[in-house]
Amino acid sequence: MRKITIVGAGQAGLQLGIGLLGHGYDVTLVSNRTGDQIREGRVMSSQAMFGTALAHERALGLDFWGDACPPIAGLGVNIADGQGGRALAFDARLDATARSVDQRVKMPIWMGEFARRGGRLVIHEAGVEDLERYAAESDLVVVAAGKGDIAGLFERDAERSPYDAPQRALALAYVTGMTPLPHRTGVSFNVVPGLGEYFTMPSLTTSGPCDIMFFEGVPGGPLDRFDGLTPDEQLATFQELLRTYVPWEAERCADLALTDQNGTLAGRFAPTVRKPVATLPSGARVLGLADVVVLNDPITGQGSNNASKCAAAYLAAVLDHGDRPYDAAFMELAFGRFWDNARSATAWTNAMLGAPPQHVLELFGAASADSRIAARFVNGFDDPRDFFHWFMDPVAAKNYLAEVSA
């Protein structure tokens, strides 16, 4: 039986580990926290997951929430006009319902399921020396911990990483008391041109259904106000910014309360793609997974989706590889299967961080008048590869608008 060690018990590490167990592999998963510590800790992300990623979970029997989690049935886009109103707006239904489950809910249950299915769960803060030991004892070591010293072993890929500094100041809050959207449950995506973005989405947290508020502020701008705030101060700042920049969202937020004092998060990071293979001091090689190798800004909500897709790609690569050694060539091939999808998500996400070009403004304007265009944009969040057929290129956009008009 081939032995695989996975360092990191997040979306990707657990999904890959449970998938491997189902095919008879000997899997050890190393986590720096117990399930109880995760459940009682701070929120980690907004984690809206679209249809393709959720299908990977269902295929492994990992959907334990069903109707308990509020559905994300659609997505609405609003562009602020700088005068307290909207320059344009459109809304469309997703072809497949999306969902957001607080990782404090999901990961402890998945950790228990991993152990129940025969996996070995080790609670330990792994360092480079530990990786050396795991590499000596295992046929393959996969690093799924996106932060800390071991993530730094993976070299930044400068050709695929256009930014070397954070492009947004990030802050989110889990709340109750938000008035639902009028048309359908879903994501509200609000753009304040030149200043940043504001999102909302329904979610399931430790205390039940809730909503997530999420600000992305251009560094140094008026939406960059979240460093060093207490949870209550952060929520008050959110409400102040809503009244100033997106007042139609402020109307939904008159009676908010935090779900808990661990229900806020703030920070910033540079979007980065790293090379998938790291070489340890001994010469042993380890394979990076998900955020370790592709860390995108959350403006397009691709983080947890990329994690799920990466785990699925690596599982397929392992199964196809059979009994051959997990050498550097295998690791590059496994990453390549993921990158075939992730390159589109990464390029689109990086483009959304900049000022929209004229052809994108024209597409958004057309989407506000034509539900077919709105639906295509909204469903691109599930499969960003489609954007390269009509959204990312001005010539393709012109041809698409002509086709729709005809």
Side-chain angles (χ1 to χ4, degrees), residues 158-245:
E159 292 185 2
R160 292 170 170 170
S161 304
Y163 302 116
D164 57 8
Q167 299 301 296
R168 294 291 190 271
L170 309 170
L172 61 78
Y174 284 50
V175 300
T176 58
M178 184 181 292
T179 301
L181 291 167
H183 303 300
R184 63 176 65 91
T185 59
V187 173
S188 178
F189 178 4
N190 301 272
V191 179
V192 186
L195 303 184
E197 298 79 28
Y198 169 71
F199 307 83
T200 71
M201 70 187 73
S203 185
L204 179 70
T205 189
T206 54
S207 55
C210 69
D211 284 279
I212 299 175
M213 311 168 72
F214 190 2
F215 268 104
E216 293 220 354
V218 173
L223 302 186
D224 181 1
R225 291 184 48 189
F226 309 114
D227 293 341
L229 301 181
T230 67
D232 292 327
E233 289 170 344
Q234 185 166 310
L235 181 58
T237 301
F238 275 22
Q239 291 176 301
E240 177 189 340
L241 293 174
L242 293 180
R243 290 191 293 269
T244 302
Y245 297 102

Side-chain angles (χ1 to χ4, degrees), residues 11 18 53 62 71 79 87 98 112 154 176 197 204 207 217 223 252 260 264 270 309 311 316 322 370 381 400:
Q11 172 74 39
I18 291 170
L62 294 175
I79 311 293
F154 295 85
T176 58
E197 298 79 28
L204 179 70
S207 55
L223 302 186
R252 303 175 58 205
D260 61 284
T264 62
K309 292 172 182 178
D370 192 313
F381 281 77
Y400 173 63

Side-chain angles (χ1 to χ4, degrees), residues 156 158 160-167 270-273 349-354:
R156 179 176 179 269
R160 292 170 170 170
S161 304
Y163 302 116
D164 57 8
Q167 299 301 296
T272 305
V273 176
T349 299
N350 288 337
M352 292 289 284
L353 290 167

Side-chain angles (χ1 to χ4, degrees), residues 81-225:
D81 64 7
Q83 309 294 321
R86 285 173 270 199
L88 61 86
F90 59 87
D91 176 275
R93 180 173 291 277
L94 287 161
D95 292 338
T97 299
R99 284 186 166 83
S100 168
V101 178
D102 185 346
Q103 293 188 26
R104 299 179 301 176
V105 174
K106 178 185 282 188
M107 299 315 156
I109 292 176
W110 278 16
M111 290 168 77
E113 186 68 8
F114 173 80
R116 189 189 70 79
R117 297 189 189 187
R120 185 180 301 106
L121 182 62
V122 176
I123 307 303
H124 180 65
E125 184 73 59
V128 176
E129 291 185 0
D130 297 296
L131 292 183
E132 293 279 24
R133 177 164 52 84
Y134 302 149
E137 299 171 349
S138 309
D139 296 295
L140 173 65
V141 175
V142 180
V143 178
K147 301 174 183 177
D149 292 341
I150 59 175
L153 292 169
F154 295 85
E155 180 185 354
R156 179 176 179 269
D157 189 333
E159 292 185 2
R160 292 170 170 170
S161 304
Y163 302 116
D164 57 8
Q167 299 301 296
R168 294 291 190 271
L170 309 170
L172 61 78
Y174 284 50
V175 300
T176 58
M178 184 181 292
T179 301
L181 291 167
H183 303 300
R184 63 176 65 91
T185 59
V187 173
S188 178
F189 178 4
N190 301 272
V191 179
V192 186
L195 303 184
E197 298 79 28
Y198 169 71
F199 307 83
T200 71
M201 70 187 73
S203 185
L204 179 70
T205 189
T206 54
S207 55
C210 69
D211 284 279
I212 299 175
M213 311 168 72
F214 190 2
F215 268 104
E216 293 220 354
V218 173
L223 302 186
D224 181 1
R225 291 184 48 189

